[in-house]
Amino acid sequence: DAMVIQNPRYQVTQFGKPVTLSCSQTLNHNVMYWYQQKSSQAPKLLFHYYDKDFNNEADTPDNFQSRRPNTSFCFLDIRSPGLGDAAMYLCATSREGHTQETQYFGPGTRLLVL
Amino acid sequence: DAKTTQPPSMDCAEGRAANLPCNHSTISGNEYVYWYRQIHSQGPQYIIHGLKNNETNEMASLIITEDRKSSTLILPHATLRDTAVYYCIVRVDDSNYQLIWGAGTKLIIKP
């Protein structure tokens, strides 16, 4: 089945040690999103790619970066994780530019910062 | 800021219809109402969306009031697996394709 895959499901890193989370998709969608979700809160959009065009949310900290080397893969890089960055990170995809198009989410990667 | 208001929690008996309300009084004419749900420790799952007409699919029905200021998601025969947080979302009709998430309703289905 076509899907959005996130690995690993759980990631432990040390305070200040760079970490990369990965997302891949078999849906061939051209828009990919990264969300941060803290406990008991709704997901918060960090940024998205429309094809290769990167779109950063205004309040996304500089500590968060992203790469999309091809249509299928997208990475979230946290350059210097702080304790406040511990959260669930969700990747989502959608089809090109259609207002009604739904977003398909992966299972998420839960990040723990020690 | 969220454009939707939902009750923080609801209970429903298994087998009964679950009716989840949502207020979106500031919705614009070209903004869609979306519903997603999130089962514990999983990614959100799309349920249904609509603009002004009522919609139904295999998962649920969406009833939107004529003035579009509120809507109700109906799960016709709730099961224990429907226990989740249900998010009512306004879809901003611009190039950012943003979903403006509300706080969600924690729906607990009881046997």
Side-chain angles (χ1 to χ4, degrees), chain A residues 37 50 57 99-101 103, chain B residues 34 36 38 91 93 97:
Chain A
Q37 186 176 27
Y50 185 105
E57 293 303 301
T99 303
Q100 297 187 56
E101 195 57 44
Q103 292 185 17
Chain B
Y34 278 71
Y36 280 73
Q38 188 171 24
R91 177 68 180 265
D93 185 14
Y97 317 116

Side-chain angles (χ1 to χ4, degrees), chain B:
Chain B
D1 290 338
K3 299 185 73 171
T4 61
T5 305
Q6 300 176 255
S9 65
M10 291 181 64
D11 293 345
C12 179
E14 187 179 19
R16 305 297 293 269
N19 297 282
L20 292 94
C22 179
N23 288 319
H24 31 79
S25 58
T26 61
I27 194 170
S28 299
N30 60 351
E31 291 177 336
Y32 287 76
V33 178
Y34 278 71
W35 283 84
Y36 280 73
R37 74 179 183 184
Q38 188 171 24
I39 296 170
H40 183 62
S41 295
Q42 297 184 21
Q45 176 190 22
Y46 166 79
I47 302 173
I48 199 167
H49 74 278
L51 182 63
K52 54 183 179 181
N53 296 322
N54 297 339
E55 302 287 345
T56 295
N57 64 20
E58 65 278 5
M59 289 183 69
S61 295
L62 174 60
I63 308 299
I64 302 175
T65 58
E66 192 169 342
D67 63 8
R68 298 205 335 119
K69 292 185 177 181
S70 66
S71 60
T72 300
L73 178 74
I74 301 172
L75 307 178
H77 304 287
T79 71
L80 297 178
R81 289 182 294 180
D82 292 322
T83 292
V85 178
Y86 287 75
Y87 292 100
C88 173
I89 297 164
V90 168
R91 177 68 180 265
V92 178
D93 185 14
D94 64 15
S95 60
N96 283 327
Y97 317 116
Q98 275 201 51
L99 299 174
I100 308 298
W101 298 75
T105 295
K106 172 68 172 178
L107 175 66
I108 299 174
I109 307 300
K110 297 187 173 182

